[in-house]
Amino acid sequence: MNLTLKVWRQVNPTVKGKMVTYHVTDVSPDMSFLEMLDVLNEQLILDNDDPIAFDHDCREGICGSCGLMINGIAHGPQQTTTCQLHMRSFSDGDVIDIEPWRSGGFPVVKDLVVDRSSFDRIIAVGGYISAPTGTAPEAHSVPVPKQDSDAAFDAATCIDCGACVAACPNGSSMLFTAAKVAHLGLMPQGQPERDTRVLKMVAQQDAENFGGCTNIGECSAVCPKGISMETISRLNHDLLGALRAGAVPAS
Amino acid sequence: MSRVTSRSSVCHVGRGRTFAAVATVTQQPAQRGAPNTGRFSSSVVKKAVMAVSGIIMILYLIAHMIGNLKAFSGAESFNEYSGWIRTIGEPAVPTQTVLWIIRLVLLASVVAHFWAAYSLWAQARRARPVAYVTKKRVQQSFASRTLRWGGTIILLFIIWHILDLTVGAVNPAGGDTTPYERLIASFSNIPITLFYVVSMLLLGLHLRHGIWSAMQSLGQTNRRRERSVNALAYVVATVLTAGFLLVPLSIAFGLID
């Protein structure tokens, strides 16, 4: 099939970008979306043009590197990662708009690549547990209720792709932060830092120029891992609980 | 390998073949603003302020709506009810004490609600400095989208509403009248009634998303409760909107005079 792509081209963070139109021919419906972009890039290289920069790594939907705004929906029309989206989701003659994630916390590096180190800094302030190193302890020594372990696992499926931020009308990273807070806060091993973790991670998220949550639910609807809005409620509950318990985030 | 940078070292691998080991340098950009540790600077605390002040206002709205229905039992009953609000607690406390306590609590709620809303709106603007060329809605409701400008219109409505029916400054019948006379005068006027109806419909939308959002912000929702919280939001929003519309529409259509 033949497609018309309108792609956001931006040379570097300081220069203003714009949408540029490209035509791709002979696209196989079995190609992944990224393979289709690879084909376009090969064509651009042959034409001595600058290939389109985009992030990708595993192409198996598990690493969280890829992520594009496709026709106004984060990761495109299927609720999956961009690499797992196939061209059979489109039809011949389609015009596809491709843009980078847009948020104050995700400045554009080049074209479709954004700097997601803000996520690393949110993780760095609280996304850990204090556990003794050395030999792994006997797994059965700390019982975890099945319900809690299931909920923690659901939250732990977050791959940090940033689609939640991209889709949010407020540019908020709440679903991401909530997934980390719920993932660690539900486990017995995560209890010592539970109160300070939520306070620090939310403070960092606010400082990174992400917006506040207004419970609209766009994030959960595009999340490739289907992390639910319940996770955000859990974060709110934990944060208010931490304040009631008198926890103060050490700066 | 024409793009070897000054950071790269060129390694020789037998037979004169070389490859360039390109050093990967991670440039850590300066952190954008240090995190605020103040309690009320947290966006989640702002949402909790919004939720609590919203709940206080909803409780008042329920009482207000029930009070309005007194209009159906006639002028005397309506005016008597209005007078009773001013004399609650007498003679233990002076006239209007309870009324002023209610007014001050409501004023504090409105100010807190507005401050949280404005502050989160400003944060959301900073969070999306460059707009999308194309952005589609996946599942958001109309109610959730109209919260900000709907809330602003409701605020303007409240100011006008107090000037109209409480103070009487902008009332067609003037200020030196009984509450019932002001009520009839306002809703016999078509533009005033239309403004009231539009505001009440916006209030309904505001409550529909607001109640769900408040429960979520206070951490009280989960997958099991999701349906019941949404049902509660629909019921409260519908009952309040319908209850508030009943009196003005009855007057406009001549059922009460």
Side-chain angles (χ1 to χ4, degrees):
Chain A
M1 55 189 178
N2 301 322
L3 299 167
T4 305
L5 305 182
K6 289 182 181 166
V7 185
W8 182 263
R9 299 305 306 264
Q10 184 171 345
V11 181
N12 62 44
T14 49
V15 177
K16 208 168 171 268
K18 62 172 194 295
M19 297 296 267
V20 178
T21 306
Y22 297 98
H23 297 280
V24 213
T25 51
D26 291 331
V27 175
S28 155
D30 296 330
M31 281 180 180
S32 76
F33 198 84
L34 296 184
E35 282 166 343
M36 184 273 296
L37 286 179
D38 290 338
V39 170
L40 172 61
N41 272 347
E42 280 169 13
Q43 195 183 306
L44 290 176
I45 292 168
L46 286 176
D47 297 344
N48 270 333
D49 209 341
D50 192 23
I52 299 162
F54 60 89
D55 268 331
H56 62 101
D57 191 12
C58 75
R59 301 209 179 192
E60 294 181 327
I62 53 167
C63 78
S65 293
C66 64
L68 302 171
M69 205 69 179
I70 300 165
N71 274 341
I73 300 174
H75 291 306
Q78 307 283 333
Q79 196 179 353
T80 182
T81 55
T82 304
C83 62
Q84 293 298 298
L85 173 68
H86 289 83
M87 297 315 291
R88 53 180 162 270
S89 299
F90 300 89
S91 37
D92 190 38
D94 275 2
V95 179
I96 306 172
D97 284 350
I98 307 171
E99 290 179 77
W101 289 166
R102 295 214 183 278
S103 170
F106 288 165
V108 173
V109 177
K110 190 186 175 188
D111 298 339
L112 303 171
V113 177
V114 294
D115 178 359
R116 283 174 286 186
S117 57
S118 46
F119 271 12
D120 297 339
R121 291 188 289 273
I122 294 174
I123 295 280
V125 295
Y128 55 81
I129 57 161
S130 40
T133 54
T135 321
E138 160 60 33
H140 293 299
S141 60
V142 184
V144 183
K146 172 82 172 121
Q147 213 182 328
D148 289 354
S149 85
D150 282 352
F153 268 116
D154 282 349
T157 56
C158 169
I159 52 174
D160 313 356
C161 66
C164 44
V165 178
C168 177
N170 299 307
S172 174
S173 64
M174 197 66 159
L175 194 66
F176 161 79
T177 310
K180 305 303 161 190
V181 166
H183 161 201
L184 298 171
L186 282 164
M187 306 300 280
Q189 294 87 346
Q191 296 314 304
E193 295 92 0
R194 186 170 176 174
D195 285 354
T196 49
R197 175 185 303 120
V198 61
L199 289 168
K200 283 179 176 177
M201 288 181 92
V202 169
Q204 187 66 35
Q205 139 178 320
D206 287 338
E208 294 288 352
N209 275 344
F210 288 117
C213 176
T214 53
N215 304 311
I216 289 175
E218 288 284 297
C219 51
S220 187
V222 298
C223 175
K225 302 298 164 184
I227 293 173
S228 77
M229 292 294 288
E230 174 186 56
T231 326
I232 294 180
S233 184
R234 223 180 264 283
L235 177 147
N236 294 332
H237 190 270
D238 269 21
L239 186 129
L240 297 174
L243 288 178
R244 271 200 301 277
V248 178
S251 52
Chain B
M1 289 296 164
S2 57
R3 286 188 195 163
V4 177
T5 64
S6 58
R7 282 198 198 89
S8 322
S9 60
V10 179
C11 304
H12 296 269
V13 193
R15 291 191 195 178
R17 281 162 63 192
T18 59
F19 73 88
V22 182
T24 311
V25 180
T26 310
Q27 286 165 327
Q28 199 74 22
Q31 187 176 303
R32 275 155 269 140
N36 264 315
T37 45
R39 190 169 277 213
F40 287 100
S41 64
S42 161
S43 59
V44 175
V45 175
K46 286 174 191 164
K47 289 293 298 179
V49 168
M50 188 105 93
V52 172
S53 57
I55 290 170
I56 292 171
M57 290 190 279
I58 290 171
L59 293 176
Y60 172 76
L61 284 181
I62 294 171
H64 186 16
M65 190 269 284
I66 294 170
N68 282 3
L69 298 178
K70 290 272 175 209
F72 286 104
S73 36
E76 201 176 315
S77 167
F78 188 82
N79 290 336
E80 194 181 305
Y81 172 76
S82 167
W84 171 74
I85 296 171
R86 282 154 180 79
T87 55
I88 305 171
E90 269 186 67
V93 290
T95 312
Q96 297 205 6
T97 307
V98 173
L99 181 68
W100 272 103
I101 291 170
I102 295 172
R103 282 174 177 169
L104 290 175
V105 169
L106 285 175
L107 184 67
S109 300
V110 170
V111 169
H113 206 73
F114 183 81
W115 163 76
Y118 176 80
S119 165
L120 286 163
W121 169 78
Q123 187 179 348
R125 270 177 63 99
R126 285 196 299 279
R128 175 122 330 129
V130 183
Y132 285 108
V133 175
T134 314
K135 178 80 169 77
K136 286 209 186 87
R137 301 174 188 119
V138 183
Q139 68 87 45
Q140 57 184 276
S141 64
F142 182 69
S144 70
R145 256 197 331 278
T146 52
L147 226 61
R148 285 185 178 132
W149 65 260
T152 312
I153 295 176
I154 293 168
L155 178 66
L156 295 175
F157 166 77
I158 293 170
I159 296 169
W160 171 81
H161 182 63
I162 291 169
L163 290 176
D164 179 31
L165 294 174
T166 310
V167 183
V170 297
N171 191 281
D176 206 17
T177 43
T178 67
Y180 192 80
E181 281 165 357
R182 290 198 288 275
L183 182 77
I184 300 291
S186 263
F187 298 122
S188 305
N189 181 314
I190 291 169
I192 292 178
T193 311
L194 282 179
F195 177 47
Y196 190 96
V197 169
V198 169
S199 303
M200 286 308 105
L201 292 176
L202 283 172
L203 176 71
L205 289 170
H206 203 83
L207 292 175
R208 155 69 193 103
H209 186 75
I211 291 168
W212 145 256
S213 192
M215 297 308 279
Q216 176 88 358
S217 294
L218 294 175
Q220 298 305 315
T221 48
N222 56 38
R223 228 171 291 194
R224 203 161 35 85
R225 286 190 203 156
E226 200 171 289
R227 282 185 66 170
S228 43
V229 170
N230 271 314
L232 175 79
Y234 269 117
V235 169
V236 174
T238 311
V239 167
L240 280 177
T241 309
F244 277 122
L245 285 178
L246 217 52
V247 174
L249 290 181
S250 300
I251 295 170
F253 288 106
L255 298 174
I256 302 180
D257 45 22

